[in-house]
Amino acid sequence: MRKFLPSFKLLSGLLNVYGLVFLTFLYMPLGLIVLYSFNANPINMAVWTGFTFDWYATIFGGAAVETTFDAAFTESPERIFEVVKNSFLVAFTAASIATIVGTATAIAIARYNFITKRFYQALLLLPMLIPDIVLGISLLIFFVGIGFELGLMTIIVGHVTFLSSYVFVVVSARLAGMDTTLEQASADLGAGPVTTFRRVTLPQIMPGVVGGFLLAFIISLDDVVITYFIAGVGSQTLPLFILAMMRRGIRPQITALAVLILLFSFVVATVGLLLRNRKP
Amino acid sequence: MGFLQIASAHKAYQTPEGALVRALDDISIDVRNNEFLTLLGPSGCGKTTLLKIIAGFEDLDGGDIILEGRSLKEVPAHRRPFNTVFQNYALFPHMTISQNIGYGLDVAGVKKPDRDRRVGEALEMVGLVGYGSRRPAQLSGGQQQRVALARSLILKPRVLLLDEPLSALDRKMREAMQIELKNLQDSVGITFIFVTHDQEEALAMSDRIAVISNGRLQQLGSPTEVYDAPDNEFVANFVGTSNLFTGRIIDVDTGQGLVTMETGNGRRLCAGSRAYGLGDEVKLILRPEHLRLVDGDTPDGPCLIEGSVKDVIFVGSVVHLHVDVGFGRTAIVYHHHDRTGFRNDIEHGAHVRLAYAPDSAHLIANGRG
Ligand SMILES: Nc1ncnc2c1ncn2[C@@H]1O[C@H](COP(=O)(O)OP(=O)(O)OP(=O)(O)O)[C@@H](O)[C@H]1O
Ligand SMILES: [Mg+2]
């Protein structure tokens, strides 16, 4: 055993270096953007001139934009509020509908036997594999074809189509791990199908349903490609808005906005993890 | 008219490979009111399938389940007056013990004071007072089993179905629960249909036993009937241990009700029977405890087997002897172990003479099973 010790040490050393490099590449940019968002230098973000909350203040309307150097590049708090509202409205509505559709389908596929079952299963997984750009174009052609005016409504419908797949996968995994005799026991004790679903099946799969909803919510919130195709003129979402801002250059306000989105995602992910780890 | 009739029940499953498994093949049982009926059979013989069909979790391919003259074919599981104790208990993990036990009452819309009182009584009945606010995962296997029992019995079902409820318990606990269950059944006056693959458990608890093999009913009778007079070779071997000899009747003494059978290699054995005549092909079954060791003074005859001891297995109350009785046959003998008694010094290779009472030999027709 001793003979192998040095080479083992070497190996673990290499592994540590690899890990360090990996983590650096992953987290350095994130760290930088956080740093930049507090940098008072309005011209060159890479040169530190002092600590400031100004960029955050411009988002919330606390700082007078006119006084800053690049007022022309800065969006008004009202405008930001509007796109954030759009994004949340879309994400919440689409994730909610997708959760209902995805959960119902997962239950149907797990609990009932029908001939077209496998076909449906494949059909549901497909949207996750189809390239976003293809899905975006097809949805656009479809909406235009049936004369659906592009706007928040089309974004919601579009998001539901592929978000349902994600919820379906998450809830299916939970259902597969559930003991089916629990449902039999419920029926055995006199409960009809609706009561059994409400009092036994749903509490058992709840962590999956909530997890699916949060996943769908986050995916919807930062979707760019598909949304880009099916958004109307007056229906910009936050990612599209940021993209538009970027065209005029990366300004400090964007970094502050990005940090806020990052923070929000962390909170949602943490809530999701906590819910998942909670024993039923 | 019977209480609960299982009438020519048929059920086949399609395996993924396309083969057909006959889980139930024409099973008919008239279950009596208030009896303790056991379904006994080896793993995979269809016991759980039959229970699921009675409970309503599975549909029949053919035949019917009739409760007091009314077919249950169109009655879904949640409307049948039966309750099940599942093999894995199937307690709801997200509910407390009290919520589990009260589930059926809640579903039935029983008002809170009445419900709480009955849940309290049920907890008391199964000896779990004070455990009401725990979760199933915080109970031992035996305690979970009691909760499952209480959850079912609280609804006062016409029939309680139990699928190997004791198999997860250790031996001591299992034996204690066997007695408890039997006493419980006596006191609540509910028909129990109990599934097990353990023949001792079946013999100890049942009013009647239905022995099942390969989806077919092999025998239905009281524990003594099934043990003392098995209908066929399968039952003889599955319930208890049997020494089996195949042969033909060569002598009939109608006066004494005695027959003599000769095996293919000339061994002659006696049996008390009036059911068989000269030339009948039969199988003779001798239980190990009916073979007695006798001394050399006992005269030779057809109710005596000689051989030499191959193995001596001491199991406590008795000694199991494997005796080579010639022609490559081994007879199993349970010799009562008593420290002062006859021949406690039996060793490997000892010559022994085994006698039995003619009436303790049971004959079955050869070719059946
Ligand atoms: N859903 C099913 N699909 C296919 N075959 C099945 C199904 N359920 C049971 N079987 C088959 O039917 C036969 C009877 O099964 P069953 O569960 O009734 O056996 P059992 O007597 O309860 O056995 P055990 O003592 O092991 O529980 C077995 O051969 C089993 O493989
Ligand atoms: Mg079984």
Side-chain angles (χ1 to χ4, degrees):
Chain A
M1 212 45 218
R2 265 202 97 195
K3 232 178 90 202
F4 299 110
L5 227 54
S7 77
F8 172 74
K9 255 189 180 156
L10 186 72
L11 207 69
S12 87
L14 279 174
L15 212 62
N16 278 337
V17 171
Y18 169 77
L20 211 64
V21 170
F22 176 78
L23 287 177
T24 307
F25 272 92
L26 190 66
Y27 285 107
M28 262 275 272
L30 288 177
L32 272 182
I33 207 170
V34 174
L35 206 63
Y36 288 172
S37 74
F38 294 111
N39 187 356
N41 188 342
I43 301 159
N44 190 345
M45 284 188 289
V47 178
W48 183 263
T49 57
F51 184 88
T52 182
F53 276 121
D54 276 1
W55 315 126
Y56 291 94
T58 60
I59 293 172
F60 294 106
V65 174
E66 296 90 307
T67 64
T68 57
F69 161 77
D70 53 356
F73 298 114
T74 311
E75 294 286 352
S76 71
E78 293 74 36
R79 185 81 184 97
I80 295 174
F81 179 74
E82 196 200 318
V83 292
V84 169
K85 199 186 72 189
N86 279 350
S87 263
F88 274 80
L89 185 72
V90 167
F92 185 79
T93 316
S96 299
I97 299 172
T99 301
I100 294 168
V101 174
T103 303
T105 331
I107 289 170
I109 290 207
R111 291 290 180 267
Y112 298 95
N113 273 309
F114 44 97
I115 299 171
T116 47
K117 184 166 158 165
R118 288 210 167 269
F119 177 68
Y120 268 101
Q121 218 165 357
L123 222 55
L124 267 154
L125 295 177
L126 222 50
M128 300 201 320
L129 301 174
I130 297 173
D132 281 1
I133 192 141
V134 177
L135 203 58
I137 294 170
S138 343
L139 281 168
L140 175 65
I141 293 173
F142 175 71
F143 287 136
V144 170
I146 62 168
F148 211 137
E149 198 188 326
L150 297 184
L152 285 183
M153 202 57 198
T154 47
I155 304 180
I156 291 172
V157 173
H159 281 198
V160 166
T161 56
F162 67 94
L163 291 180
S164 300
S165 302
Y166 288 93
V167 177
F168 171 77
V169 169
V170 175
V171 175
S172 286
R174 184 80 197 178
L175 271 170
M178 184 187 158
D179 180 5
T180 49
T181 56
L182 292 181
E183 286 164 0
Q184 289 184 349
S186 173
D188 189 71
L189 294 165
V194 176
T195 311
T196 295
F197 175 75
R198 198 168 50 80
R199 298 205 46 187
V200 176
T201 316
L202 198 56
Q204 284 295 305
I205 61 171
M206 209 50 189
V209 175
V210 173
F213 172 83
L214 292 178
L215 183 68
F217 188 82
I218 289 292
I219 293 175
S220 167
L221 207 59
D222 75 4
D223 179 74
V224 175
V225 181
I226 296 167
T227 314
Y228 179 81
F229 285 97
I230 54 179
V233 186
S235 58
Q236 210 169 23
T237 61
L238 187 57
L240 292 187
F241 177 73
I242 293 175
L243 204 64
M245 278 173 85
M246 299 261 299
R247 294 223 179 86
R248 287 173 276 155
I250 302 177
R251 305 317 308 169
Q253 196 189 26
I254 293 180
T255 62
L257 207 49
V259 170
L260 289 177
I261 295 172
L262 189 68
L263 215 62
F264 179 76
S265 300
F266 270 145
V267 170
V268 173
T270 309
V271 169
L273 277 179
L274 285 180
L275 281 173
R276 203 187 63 179
N277 291 346
R278 208 182 53 181
K279 290 273 171 288
Chain B
M1 187 187 68
F3 167 62
L4 175 69
Q5 287 169 276
I6 299 157
S8 341
H10 282 87
K11 177 80 187 176
Y13 287 112
Q14 192 89 39
T15 64
E17 299 84 48
L20 214 59
V21 180
R22 287 181 198 280
L24 296 181
D25 192 1
D26 196 23
I27 289 201
S28 295
I29 301 172
D30 266 358
V31 185
R32 297 173 188 155
N33 203 355
N34 291 346
E35 82 169 324
F36 195 120
L37 176 75
T38 296
L39 306 178
L40 174 67
S43 187
C45 73
K47 306 179 297 285
T48 298
T49 305
L50 183 54
L51 222 55
K52 280 184 178 167
I53 279 169
I54 298 172
F57 307 138
E58 296 266 3
D59 294 325
L60 277 170
D61 291 342
D64 206 351
I65 304 290
I66 301 158
L67 178 68
E68 294 177 322
R70 198 165 77 95
S71 167
L72 295 183
K73 248 193 198 149
E74 302 303 324
V75 182
H78 66 276
R79 291 195 209 287
R80 296 192 187 189
F82 307 148
N83 286 121
T84 308
V85 175
F86 290 81
Q87 194 157 1
N88 62 357
Y89 312 143
L91 299 178
F92 305 124
H94 57 287
M95 297 184 198
T96 64
I97 300 308
S98 291
Q99 285 168 341
N100 263 282
I101 295 177
Y103 186 83
L105 298 179
D106 292 342
V107 166
V110 176
K111 291 277 174 295
K112 187 140 175 39
D114 192 25
R115 170 212 184 265
D116 290 348
R117 182 182 51 76
R118 282 168 69 180
V119 169
E121 284 170 6
L123 279 169
E124 203 167 321
M125 177 186 74
V126 294
L128 288 174
V129 177
Y131 287 80
S133 54
R134 290 208 199 177
R135 301 266 167 171
Q138 297 166 319
L139 297 190
S140 74
Q143 290 168 335
Q144 289 182 26
Q145 198 259 347
R146 287 160 203 252
V147 175
L149 209 57
R151 185 177 70 172
S152 295
L153 282 173
I154 200 168
L155 297 175
K156 302 199 169 66
R158 302 300 305 277
V159 179
L160 186 69
L161 308 165
L162 304 105
D163 194 357
E164 309 209 28
L166 307 182
S167 61
L169 308 180
D170 64 52
R171 189 188 169 92
K172 273 263 157 20
M173 185 78 194
R174 190 163 67 231
E175 282 169 1
M177 283 306 294
Q178 284 175 4
I179 299 166
E180 259 183 57
L181 262 185
K182 181 68 190 144
N183 291 341
L184 189 70
Q185 194 262 337
D186 282 341
S187 61
V188 294
I190 289 173
T191 304
F192 276 36
I193 300 182
F194 181 91
V195 163
T196 183
H197 60 255
D198 179 342
Q199 45 102 10
E200 281 181 34
E201 193 164 282
L203 292 171
M205 301 175 77
S206 321
D207 293 323
R208 287 195 304 162
I209 298 173
V211 185
I212 299 171
S213 158
N214 281 328
R216 297 191 72 93
L217 182 64
Q218 301 292 330
Q219 186 168 2
L220 177 64
S222 69
T224 42
E225 280 166 357
V226 170
Y227 187 80
D228 289 339
D231 273 356
N232 57 44
E233 191 176 341
F234 175 82
V235 178
N237 283 324
F238 193 75
V239 183
T241 306
S242 293
N243 295 300
L244 219 101
F245 298 93
T246 307
R248 167 200 305 236
I249 308 261
I250 54 158
D251 186 36
V252 178
D253 180 344
T254 32
Q256 295 207 42
L258 214 63
V259 298
T260 305
M261 179 198 91
E262 189 178 65
T263 64
N265 37 37
R267 187 202 310 277
R268 293 191 175 185
L269 297 166
C270 76
S273 170
R274 292 177 194 279
Y276 296 92
L278 210 59
D280 283 352
E281 299 282 345
V282 293
K283 283 188 167 134
L284 185 144
I285 295 156
L286 277 171
R287 295 294 189 184
E289 67 275 19
H290 290 147
L291 288 167
R292 280 174 294 115
L293 294 181
V294 291
D295 55 28
D297 301 339
T298 315
D300 283 354
C303 293
L304 195 90
I305 306 170
E306 291 194 50
S308 62
V309 175
K310 280 206 304 189
D311 290 302
V312 181
I313 301 151
F314 176 66
V315 296
S317 53
V318 291
V319 179
H320 291 188
L321 303 177
H322 292 189
V323 180
D324 181 354
V325 294
F327 309 110
R329 287 298 311 270
T330 301
I332 295 166
V333 180
Y334 294 166
H335 177 53
H336 202 77
H337 176 70
D338 121 33
R339 268 178 271 175
T340 58
F342 171 67
R343 299 211 66 170
N344 267 324
D345 53 343
I346 291 176
E347 283 175 356
H348 179 89
H351 180 81
V352 289
R353 291 155 66 81
L354 307 167
Y356 62 91
D359 284 335
S360 65
H362 176 69
L363 291 179
I364 56 178
N366 194 6
R368 271 204 285 152

